[in-house]
Amino acid sequence: MSSPPDTSHWRWREGPIAGGPAVIVDVDGVISDASSRQHLAKARRWDEFFAGCPDDPPLEAAVALVSSLAPDITVVLLTARPWHLLDATVSWLKTHQVRWDLLILRPPNSGGSSRAYKATEVNNLRRHGFDLLYALEDDPRNVEMYAESDVPCVYVYSGYYDR
């Protein structure tokens, strides 16, 4: 028998959900417009990049899409934002009235690629009992990871990954 997944970096909006149908939604570039900060990401100036998160406008079409999901579908916001942005992210979600049930940020003191981190979380979500219906993602590397993980993925073009 495998051990339960580490969920210490998961934040439930109203309390834990045992599992069931779920949709994974990325934050930056999918529901949050981080285009004004992309020059910082390209320069790998991550502290400055993440400091601007609270000022991002919402991407209204994606927010509306997430809001339109059936109420029995768990909305999982899976972001590579670092853990220290938990309060700022929750505040932003509340301000912009974004529907969510579970927010997963990168755990404290973790490293590695977004792709590897999100692949681990896909496995953790499944081990927790979620049936992952699909994901909304703007990073082509993560879109590929979802395909390899048998999670249908809608690619959201943000323009962030153009060369």
Side-chain angles (χ1 to χ4, degrees):
M1 176 182 250
S2 65
S3 60
D6 175 14
T7 60
S8 61
H9 58 286
W10 292 13
R11 282 302 169 262
W12 300 95
R13 183 174 188 162
E14 294 183 4
I17 296 168
V23 170
I24 299 172
V25 181
D26 185 28
V27 176
D28 297 303
V30 175
I31 59 171
S32 171
D33 184 358
S35 59
S36 67
R37 302 184 283 118
Q38 286 313 298
H39 64 287
L40 298 169
K42 287 183 181 187
R44 304 185 65 74
R45 293 167 40 199
W46 297 115
D47 289 341
E48 293 171 76
F49 174 81
F50 287 121
C53 290
D55 301 322
D56 291 340
L59 290 165
E60 297 293 345
V63 171
L65 176 65
V66 170
S67 293
S68 74
L69 294 171
D72 64 329
I73 294 174
T74 299
V75 175
V76 178
L77 301 182
L78 175 56
T79 178
R81 287 182 179 188
W83 178 253
H84 72 269
L85 291 173
L86 174 66
D87 292 340
T89 302
V90 170
S91 178
W92 186 92
L93 295 167
K94 183 177 181 181
T95 297
H96 297 290
Q97 300 177 345
V98 177
R99 178 182 165 196
W100 65 282
D101 300 297
L102 172 58
L103 173 62
I104 305 175
L105 291 99
R106 198 182 275 269
N109 305 314
S110 70
S113 71
S114 170
R115 178 186 168 117
Y117 154 69
K118 288 189 175 187
T120 297
E121 293 307 325
V122 164
N123 291 330
N124 287 341
L125 287 162
R126 285 184 167 140
R127 288 173 53 208
H128 189 79
F130 285 109
D131 174 22
L132 304 176
L133 303 177
Y134 63 90
L136 299 173
E137 176 65 57
D138 73 316
D139 184 335
R141 297 163 294 194
N142 292 333
V143 171
E144 184 178 88
M145 176 278 299
Y146 283 119
E148 292 168 0
S149 300
D150 293 322
V151 177
C153 186
V154 176
Y155 173 61
V156 178
Y157 179 75
S158 64
Y160 301 168
Y161 299 93
D162 292 349
R163 301 228 179 229

